[in-house]
Amino acid sequence: MPPNLLILGGTLEASALAGAVAEKGMTATLSYAGRVERLKEQPIPRRVGGFGGVCGLAQYLRDHKITHVVDATHSFAAQMSENAVVACRQTATRLLALTRPPWCKKAGDDWQNVRDIAAAVTALSGPAKRVMLAIGRMHLAQFSPCPQHQYLLRLVDAPDVPPPLPHHRIIISRGPFTVAGDAALLQDHDIELVVAKNSGGSGAQAKILAARQLGLPVLMIDRPVLSPRDEVGSVDAVLDWLAHDGTERGV
Ligand code: NAP
């Protein structure tokens, strides 16, 4: 039976996979959480919004006779990834994660690693600084216990309500970004510290490389730890898995 694929998206990798499966004429749906206002046009059908937890996702898989799920969500979308593991197990649906390797500290990097956002907030308890807080918009309120800093926020969409940070400036931009552009941004705003999630991949790395170039410290939030699942790092590997139904490659 040919695969009927559900791609859990919200990333460049998910869009690339959507393009690749469309070219092959596969039946596939791309799922978005619905967090951003302007979704990219896609060559396959899409659905938008949460499924309603594990039960809702399991029901969706059954109702739509999904045979394969590719979790191509962002490496910090831990809830969705955990739900996918459990719902696929419950419904005997094949699951593969399409992931990016994390960034690794290299010569010239001045990183302080923290395990999660709460630990990043604790690490910011010192004197006022000019901080580029590059964590998206969902968790900005968690930084309200550190109102002393001047925050530079770069967001895909303007927030519905202003973040509860008394000193902040918002730049609306979707990226991808260049190292030269981000170095200029950091210099123009006299940034003293970059706070970032270890997203991995190239699209969001410019700020990290720019910080290295300028000798700026980075407070790096490590990835959440997820339940074990099969993972690959490229669209081609996903296509290979789909072609062989995951059996020949042992994934
Ligand atoms: P999350 O905390 O793991 O997910 C929270 C809930 O949002 C999920 O339980 C699910 O709701 C819904 N959801 C998440 N991804 C979904 C998808 N692809 N399709 C349908 N529903 C989805 O996720 P998040 O960190 O808020 O991220 C939301 C989306 O933004 C993801 O698609 C992710 O790829 C993208 N994104 C996240 C980040 C980041 O830093 N977290 C960065 C870039 C892009 P139900 O339980 O109701 O099913």
Side-chain angles (χ1 to χ4, degrees):
M1 192 173 65
N4 180 15
L5 175 65
L6 175 67
I7 303 169
L8 302 173
T11 58
L12 292 174
E13 289 81 357
S15 297
L17 179 60
V21 298
E23 261 183 34
K24 293 205 173 288
M26 290 181 178
T27 305
T29 305
L30 178 56
S31 176
Y32 285 103
R35 299 276 194 274
V36 299
E37 284 165 14
R38 296 155 290 139
L39 291 175
K40 276 180 69 174
E41 284 303 313
Q42 294 291 352
I44 60 173
R46 67 184 188 205
R47 63 164 301 288
V48 182
F51 296 94
V54 170
C55 290
L57 177 57
Q59 196 59 50
Y60 180 95
L61 298 177
R62 288 190 200 98
D63 289 349
H64 293 81
K65 299 189 171 31
I66 299 295
T67 59
H68 294 69
V69 173
V70 174
D71 178 359
T73 56
H74 189 270
S75 44
F76 280 74
Q79 186 63 60
M80 186 70 253
S81 292
E82 291 298 324
N83 290 356
V85 168
V86 180
C88 286
R89 191 166 55 222
Q90 284 179 359
T91 57
T93 308
R94 300 192 62 83
L95 171 67
L96 186 67
L98 172 57
T99 57
R100 313 166 179 173
W103 299 318
C104 295
K105 192 173 165 179
K106 298 231 168 74
D109 283 327
D110 176 9
W111 291 8
Q112 179 188 350
N113 286 79
V114 288
R115 65 190 301 266
D116 53 22
I117 287 182
V121 174
T122 304
L124 281 175
S125 62
K129 285 191 174 139
R130 286 179 297 278
V131 178
M132 180 178 185
L133 184 56
I135 59 153
R137 79 186 148 125
M138 299 298 293
H139 299 282
L140 292 175
Q142 280 182 253
F143 287 83
S144 59
C146 301
Q148 72 275 33
H149 303 298
Q150 292 191 29
Y151 292 102
L152 176 65
L153 311 173
R154 183 165 60 189
L155 305 173
V156 174
D157 294 310
D160 299 330
V161 288
L165 306 168
H167 315 292
H168 71 265
R169 175 175 287 198
I170 295 176
I171 294 174
I172 304 296
S173 183
R174 187 181 273 262
F177 306 102
T178 64
V179 180
D182 275 5
L185 181 77
L186 294 173
Q187 284 180 311
D188 288 350
H189 292 269
D190 286 327
I191 295 298
E192 298 168 281
L193 174 70
V194 175
V195 181
K197 294 173 171 174
N198 194 337
S199 306
S202 55
Q205 198 182 13
K207 59 184 177 283
I208 306 301
L209 300 178
R212 180 190 300 162
Q213 207 175 75
L214 300 174
L216 288 178
V218 175
L219 187 60
M220 185 64 82
I221 304 170
D222 291 336
R223 293 178 172 201
V225 178
L226 301 175
S227 296
R229 68 238 164 110
D230 293 320
E231 291 186 33
V232 294
S234 70
V235 167
D236 282 347
V238 176
L239 295 179
D240 193 27
W241 176 75
L242 289 168
H244 299 97
D245 198 21
T247 50
E248 290 180 14
R249 299 173 65 248
V251 295

